[in-house]
Amino acid sequence: RRKFAQTNAAIVDDHDLDGVDIDWEYPGMRGEDNVFRLEDKENFTLMFKAIREELDALSARTGKKYLLTTAIPCFSRFIEMTEMGKAQQYLDYINLMAYDFYVAGDTAGHHSNLFFSESYEKEQSGDRAFKEYTKAGVPAGKLVLGVPFYGRSWYMKSADNYGINRPVDSLARGGGYTFLKDSIATRPGFERHWDDKAKVPYLWNPETRQLVSYDDEESIKVKCAYVREHRMAGVMFWQYASDPKKYLLTAINETKHQKP
């Protein structure tokens, strides 16, 4: 752990970087092909402590402030397997990956909804994650709301509820927002809908039963307003290349200085 922290600080120093960001998927449980164990719960906290100490030592030498941040998912199990209330003391910002709520599986729906669509207890959402992490001891002022610059898509088994939270037949191509706005949304058969509970749009093709879940300018502005209202640190996005025409980045920029 100490060697990892030291080499992180050395890389920051060598390349004059702003700091370190950690995306551990996931401590104490399976992500894709990660090794995990129960001790990860404490080690997750100790890792940030060690990196923070090395960055502070570097700061004392250079006079520069270095950031330590992390990206974390929005499902409750992650909170159970970590000590975010303790870990946050070493972190400057904590980025909520409030997207990919549905990727693969038997059902699909909004992949980046701000609020629940049908059931708070059954659905992930940005709002639920904010409430759960602040309850766990993370200050709102350190939380950053993540927004996706891309969409997810599926062919659904039925047209019930326009496919939202319903069984999946097969995966379909999603894509970045520039592609979705300029190409998919303008194709014959696709209809844009707005879920006023979840505060996100979606595309639905009734003939092919294709569902596309994504964020657009309207939902991005709603999320920015949420961030200001709850005095969060800001928003982050994944990723820049998904929206080369800067539709969503422009929407964020237009709202960041507005009052709640």
Side-chain angles (χ1 to χ4, degrees):
R1 183 186 305 122
R2 180 58 57 187
K3 187 68 173 178
F4 178 67
Q6 290 171 342
T7 52
N8 268 268
I11 292 171
V12 169
D13 188 25
D14 289 345
H15 299 280
D16 194 27
L17 303 179
D18 294 322
V20 175
D21 179 67
I22 298 291
D23 182 3
W24 181 346
E25 299 184 20
Y26 301 104
M29 58 186 146
R30 186 173 305 283
E32 290 187 8
D33 57 356
N34 60 304
V35 175
F36 61 96
R37 54 183 183 162
L38 291 177
E39 296 95 318
D40 290 344
K41 185 168 188 173
E42 292 77 21
N43 288 338
F44 189 67
T45 304
L46 293 173
M47 173 188 64
F48 290 122
K49 180 177 183 293
I51 298 174
R52 180 77 272 165
E53 289 172 352
E54 294 298 329
L55 291 178
D56 286 348
L58 178 62
S59 182
R61 180 163 58 84
T62 65
K64 180 180 177 180
K65 164 68 177 176
Y66 297 100
L67 297 174
L68 178 55
T69 67
T70 188
I72 57 175
C74 293
F75 51 83
S76 303
R77 181 64 173 159
F78 185 87
I79 297 175
E80 298 172 6
M81 299 304 296
T82 56
E83 305 171 308
M84 289 308 303
K86 293 181 180 180
Q88 63 83 22
Q89 65 184 304
Y90 306 112
L91 294 158
D92 295 289
Y93 299 113
I94 296 168
N95 299 312
L96 298 176
M97 295 187 288
Y99 39 74
D100 290 343
F101 296 154
Y102 288 102
V103 179
D106 297 330
T107 60
H110 301 304
H111 95 97
S112 59
N113 44 299
L114 182 58
F115 300 99
F116 70 92
S117 180
E118 294 181 309
S119 170
Y120 179 88
E121 293 302 323
K122 293 181 180 179
E123 295 178 61
Q124 298 177 61
S125 70
D127 174 68
R128 179 176 175 176
F130 172 80
K131 291 176 178 176
E132 291 184 343
Y133 278 109
T134 51
K135 184 179 180 180
V138 180
K142 287 188 175 183
L143 288 171
V144 176
L145 183 65
V147 298
F149 276 18
Y150 63 94
R152 296 279 183 181
S153 185
W154 308 265
Y155 292 107
M156 311 305 291
K157 289 186 176 180
S158 77
D160 181 47
N161 201 37
Y162 301 110
I164 300 298
N165 299 331
R166 298 299 185 264
V168 169
D169 186 34
S170 61
L171 293 174
R173 179 186 178 186
Y177 183 63
T178 292
F179 170 74
L180 293 176
K181 180 173 182 174
D182 294 351
S183 300
I184 299 295
T186 59
R187 290 180 184 176
F190 279 97
E191 305 165 349
R192 179 191 181 274
H193 297 269
W194 176 261
D195 188 325
D196 201 44
K197 288 185 176 180
K199 300 300 181 186
V200 283
Y202 58 99
L203 297 175
W204 174 252
N205 188 317
E207 182 177 347
T208 62
R209 298 196 303 273
Q210 184 177 354
L211 169 66
V212 183
S213 171
Y214 65 106
D215 268 290
D216 65 4
E217 291 90 337
E218 182 178 0
S219 62
I220 287 291
K221 290 181 179 180
V222 171
K223 290 181 176 182
C224 287
Y226 181 96
V227 166
R228 294 194 306 271
E229 179 184 353
H230 291 82
R231 301 186 181 279
M232 298 175 69
V235 299
M236 66 90 171
F237 58 86
W238 182 269
Q239 61 162 320
Y240 181 77
S242 295
D243 189 20
K245 290 189 177 179
K246 304 178 184 178
Y247 291 128
L248 300 184
L249 190 59
T250 299
I252 293 171
N253 191 57
E254 288 175 348
T255 60
K256 69 179 182 179
H257 297 302
Q258 295 176 3
K259 294 181 180 180

